[in-house]
């Protein structure tokens, strides 16, 4: 939603004609008569608009049909939901269901966790979420404690010794999801990227009974090795949030998934770029080695020229294909 009006005005009208979702990248013209912006929603890929004289008009929109052979009418909307966590805290998130009739046993489901952790899942367009929905998975995207957008206290409520409280939020979300009649409680997977990858690694070791499968994109395995090997420009500010390796050795042993790997049961897919400067490639290597030593089911997709994230179109196609195939194998 976007409102435009003079500073101090009692009311500023909502700009019509924009998709329901997220408005970003606003830029005024030199004479303040026009406003350029990007708008997107769960079913509307990011498009460029110009606001002028009280109305917004699109000046560029992607064409999924022409560019990828995808009918945009198949994109699924998101619904804002909330549940109560282990300590009574209210956790919000977004839920989406696949198209078509509900299976007799309910939809298989994905709990998808954002990175950060100081970030937020919003009602934006997500090609990866639409891919999962198109493959018949319901999706829950929680904003566990540590997320932004809910006040400073909430954002800081997962630091140091409270690190695993956010993983408990995730478990509470999975339980809430599983209790819904349209969800198959026996087929729930957890997926996350970056810090969300840590959340996946922690979820399968802290709450192994909840997950049928898991996918960890460039996630943290051990906070001590992360801080030792990450880019030097990140070490100091990440230590303030995660803890100091010398002062918090016992804490790191408790919250680092690879040190609790004996509890892991769910098949795990790891994806990581070898040139990642933020979460070193060695983090996923540790997870794979530890799981193989214990004869757990693990797959590892490596990307020679990728950094922190998969930007190249060929890499993204490979990622989506690998994730879809892994889930099809292990979710039934």
């Amino acid at each position: 939603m976007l409102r435009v009006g003079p500073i101090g005005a009692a009311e500023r009208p909502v700009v019509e004609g924009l998709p329901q979702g997220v408005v970003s990248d606003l830029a005024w013209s030199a004479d303040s008569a026009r406003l350029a912006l990007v708008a997107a929603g769960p079913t509307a890929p990011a498009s460029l608009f110009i606001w002028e004289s009280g109305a917004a008009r699109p000046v560029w929109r992607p064409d999924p049909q022409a560019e990828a052979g995808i009918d945009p009418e198949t994109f699924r909307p998101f619904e804002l939901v909330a549940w109560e966590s282990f300590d009574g805290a209210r956790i919000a998130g977004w839920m989406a269901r696949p198209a078509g009739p509900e299976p007799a046993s309910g939809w298989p489901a994905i709990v998808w966790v954002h990175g950060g952790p100081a970030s937020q899942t919003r009602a934006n367009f997500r090609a990866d979420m639409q891919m999962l929905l198109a493959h018949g998975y319901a999706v829950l995207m929680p904003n566990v404690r540590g997320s932004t957008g809910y006040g400073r206290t909430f954002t800081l409520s997962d630091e140091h010794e409270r690190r695993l409280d956010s993983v408990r939020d995730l478990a509470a979300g999975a339980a809430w999801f599983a209790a819904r009649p349209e969800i198959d409680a026996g087929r729930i997977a957890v997926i996350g990227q970056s810090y969300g990858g840590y959340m996946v690694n922690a979820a399968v070791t802290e709450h192994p009974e909840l997950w049928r499968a898991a996918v960890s994109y460039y996630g943290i395995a051990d906070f001590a090795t992360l801080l030792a090997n990450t880019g030097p420009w990140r070490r100091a500010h990440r230590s303030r949030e995660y803890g100091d390796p010398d002062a918090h050795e016992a804490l790191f042993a408790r919250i680092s998934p690879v040190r609790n790997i004996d509890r892991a049961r769910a098949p795990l897919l790891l994806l990581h770029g070898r040139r990642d400067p933020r979460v070193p490639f060695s983090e996923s290597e540790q997870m794979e080695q530890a799981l193989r030593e214990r004869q757990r089911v693990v797959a590892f997709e490596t990307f020679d020229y990728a950094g922190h994230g998969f930007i190249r179109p060929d890499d993204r196609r490979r990622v989506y294909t690998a994730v879809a195939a892994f889930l099809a194998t292990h979710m039934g």
Side-chain angles (χ1 to χ4, degrees):
M1 179 187 297
L2 175 67
R3 296 177 183 270
V4 179
I7 295 174
E11 292 187 9
R12 297 185 183 93
V14 174
V15 175
E16 301 293 337
L18 298 175
Q20 293 295 311
V22 177
V23 175
S24 62
D25 301 311
L26 288 80
W28 287 100
S29 61
D31 60 2
S32 299
R34 291 175 296 163
L35 176 65
L37 59 104
V38 173
T43 62
S47 302
L48 180 62
F49 289 79
I50 296 291
W51 174 91
E52 187 175 16
S53 301
R57 55 184 173 85
V59 294
W60 178 84
R61 277 180 167 149
D63 187 346
Q65 186 77 59
E67 295 170 12
I70 299 172
D71 182 357
E73 294 298 320
T74 64
F75 295 149
R76 303 295 297 157
F78 297 171
E79 174 189 350
L80 186 61
V81 296
W83 57 91
E84 187 175 290
S85 193
F86 68 98
D87 60 353
R90 181 182 182 273
I91 305 299
W94 296 93
M95 183 179 72
R97 302 176 185 83
E102 177 187 324
S105 61
W107 299 107
I110 307 294
V111 178
W112 185 89
V113 201
H114 69 70
S119 183
Q120 182 186 19
T121 297
R122 300 188 293 168
N124 217 328
F125 182 78
R126 291 293 306 260
D128 49 358
M129 297 301 102
Q130 294 297 338
M131 182 274 288
L132 294 170
L133 291 159
H135 279 80
Y137 300 101
V139 177
L140 178 67
M141 297 161 277
N143 284 315
V144 298
R145 68 191 73 197
S147 302
T148 53
Y150 303 92
R152 182 173 175 81
T153 298
F154 190 84
T155 300
L156 299 178
S157 64
D158 69 334
E159 296 198 354
H160 293 191
E161 69 279 355
R162 297 171 292 179
R163 180 69 46 204
L164 293 178
D165 285 354
S166 59
V167 184
R168 297 185 184 102
D169 293 341
L170 196 63
W176 175 88
F177 209 21
R180 296 184 65 89
E182 73 270 32
I183 300 302
D184 183 343
R187 291 192 294 164
I188 299 180
V190 59
I191 301 178
Q193 298 169 327
S194 190
Y195 187 84
Y198 162 72
M199 293 288 286
V200 170
N201 296 340
V204 299
T205 52
E206 294 296 318
H207 303 279
E209 74 285 353
L210 294 178
W211 316 108
R212 181 75 167 264
V215 180
S216 175
Y217 290 65
Y218 34 92
I220 300 164
D222 189 316
F223 284 97
T225 57
L226 169 78
L227 293 174
N229 298 321
T230 191
W233 72 95
R234 303 182 72 243
R235 198 166 294 134
H237 81 272
R238 284 308 184 194
S239 293
R240 284 193 291 272
E241 180 172 0
Y242 298 149
D244 181 85
D246 297 324
H248 297 97
E249 183 178 355
L251 173 65
F252 281 7
R254 176 71 188 90
I255 67 175
S256 295
V258 77
R259 304 203 205 180
N260 302 289
I261 203 69
D262 285 337
R263 297 199 290 260
R265 294 292 180 271
L268 178 63
L269 171 62
L270 301 161
L271 305 113
H272 213 132
R274 291 184 180 273
R275 302 189 180 192
D276 192 332
R278 295 191 175 198
V279 179
F281 182 77
S282 55
E283 292 299 298
S284 289
E285 282 187 310
Q286 292 181 70
M287 288 294 291
E288 183 199 29
Q289 180 180 350
L291 288 165
R292 291 202 184 282
E293 287 174 353
R294 290 157 179 80
Q295 299 184 332
R296 305 290 196 268
V297 177
V298 60
F300 193 9
E301 293 283 339
T302 66
F303 299 79
D304 290 341
Y305 296 102
H308 192 69
F310 304 117
I311 297 174
R312 291 176 173 83
D314 285 347
D315 286 350
R316 291 196 176 197
R317 281 188 284 269
R318 183 179 154 201
V319 167
Y320 291 175
T321 300
V323 170
F326 183 82
L327 293 175
T329 297
H330 297 289
M331 294 280 280

